[in-house]
Amino acid sequence: TMLPQAVVISSKAIQINPGFAPAYVNRGLAQRQMSKNDLAFSDFNRAIELKPDFYQAYANRALVYRFTGDLGNAASDYNRAIQLNASYDAAYIGRGNLYRKAGRINEAFSDFEQAIRLDTTDPRAYHNRGLIYQSRKQHDYAIQDFATAISLDPEAPEPYNGRGISYLATNLTDNAFADFNQAIKLNPKLAESWANQGLVYEQRGEFAKAAKSYQRAVILDGSYGPAQAGLARVRGQKDQPVVAAQAPGQPQSPPPLQ
């Protein structure tokens, strides 16, 4: 309900002063959050026409490019935003996500580092750097970064999933279980949290419970591979005490925060 209202308020501001660039950015933000990418795109374009040094407009247009799969233009917009304001942390986070997607992990890492240097209160930068530590198997550093992200935004489920996976990798299964349960509590519609919970049950040899968790994940997202694979592994297995050699599937890292 807030979003359509934001569109109305910004549109009124534009009617009163059609040359006021921030009103276009505000309206574009609301449109993008409602997945109206075309409308968002034209608002950000208009803001840039009116104010060519409006660095936030470039970073926001970059996100629209990303969501519509135009990664080249997204990268140029992030670069332009950083050129215009070298201390704009959100642009480094956005560009870092692009680099990470392209497999340019070291460049992604240094963008997240730079974002953290510029604004130590943005949980996205810590979460995304934590994902890279995790992929490098530096789980202690990853756990620290996810913990910082959680302390800055306790309502976001992704860092709990992230930290849980690093706990699991370092055999802190109870901690992992608590994190996955918290992620489920915060957003019961995330397939990966249920699949991760299933993984812990599977490691504990509680196959009936594992099957239930994987089933929930599959219902939420039929294309989520780890949940399908988990379900196939545990279906029809009798509960049994955990054998150390049991190696269930690899947990999936959560997505980066945009």
Side-chain angles (χ1 to χ4, degrees):
T1 51
M2 290 299 292
L3 290 171
Q5 204 181 346
V7 171
V8 172
I9 292 166
S10 308
S11 299
K12 276 187 181 151
I14 289 164
Q15 268 179 333
I16 295 162
N17 182 356
F20 186 54
Y24 289 95
V25 166
N26 289 339
R27 189 172 69 180
L29 279 168
Q31 303 283 24
R32 201 196 70 228
Q33 284 173 289
M34 295 189 294
S35 301
K36 296 181 176 174
N37 285 321
D38 292 352
L39 293 172
F41 189 69
S42 61
D43 273 347
F44 296 140
N45 279 344
R46 186 76 188 112
I48 288 164
E49 278 168 26
L50 290 166
K51 198 172 184 285
D53 62 349
F54 199 171
Y55 58 90
Q56 292 103 324
Y58 287 99
N60 280 304
R61 189 174 69 177
L63 260 185
V64 178
Y65 276 131
R66 271 195 57 192
F67 289 138
T68 53
D70 187 345
L71 304 186
N73 272 320
S76 346
D77 268 0
Y78 283 129
N79 290 338
R80 187 84 186 101
I82 288 165
Q83 244 178 353
L84 290 165
N85 180 358
S87 58
Y88 184 40
D89 70 301
Y92 291 97
I93 293 172
R95 190 175 69 176
N97 283 334
L98 276 187
Y99 283 145
R100 187 172 171 267
K101 202 174 174 165
R104 294 160 67 175
I105 302 300
N106 294 339
E107 287 160 288
F109 188 80
S110 61
D111 268 356
F112 298 142
E113 293 260 86
Q114 181 62 11
I116 286 166
R117 272 196 293 271
L118 292 167
D119 179 6
T120 50
T121 62
D122 195 321
R124 298 172 301 173
Y126 291 99
H127 173 81
N128 296 351
R129 186 176 69 175
L131 289 175
I132 293 178
Y133 279 133
Q134 194 168 70
S135 69
R136 292 174 173 171
K137 310 240 181 306
Q138 294 174 284
H139 290 292
D140 292 344
Y141 287 127
I143 287 166
Q144 267 177 356
D145 268 355
F146 292 129
T148 305
I150 287 166
S151 70
L152 291 165
D153 181 8
E155 300 301 302
E158 292 86 359
Y160 288 99
N161 271 324
R163 188 173 67 177
I165 286 163
S166 283
Y167 278 145
L168 212 49
T170 48
N171 294 318
L172 295 165
T173 315
D174 291 347
N175 289 8
F177 193 60
D179 271 355
F180 298 146
N181 288 341
Q182 183 59 18
I184 288 168
K185 209 166 112 183
L186 289 167
N187 182 358
K189 291 191 167 72
L190 268 189
E192 66 183 288
S193 312
W194 290 101
N196 289 339
Q197 186 196 60
L199 214 46
V200 177
Y201 282 133
E202 186 178 351
Q203 276 197 349
R204 291 175 175 171
E206 297 181 51
F207 295 123
K209 284 182 179 171
K212 267 188 185 154
S213 301
Y214 288 135
Q215 189 68 55
R216 286 294 289 269
V218 169
I219 290 167
L220 287 165
D221 180 357
S223 65
Y224 190 56
Q228 293 170 324
L231 198 52
R233 283 194 308 270
V234 299
R235 247 198 190 133
Q237 286 213 54
K238 295 273 179 283
D239 283 9
Q240 58 186 62
V242 181
V243 184
Q246 257 180 330
Q250 279 307 301
Q252 291 279 94
S253 289
L257 294 172
Q258 307 307 339

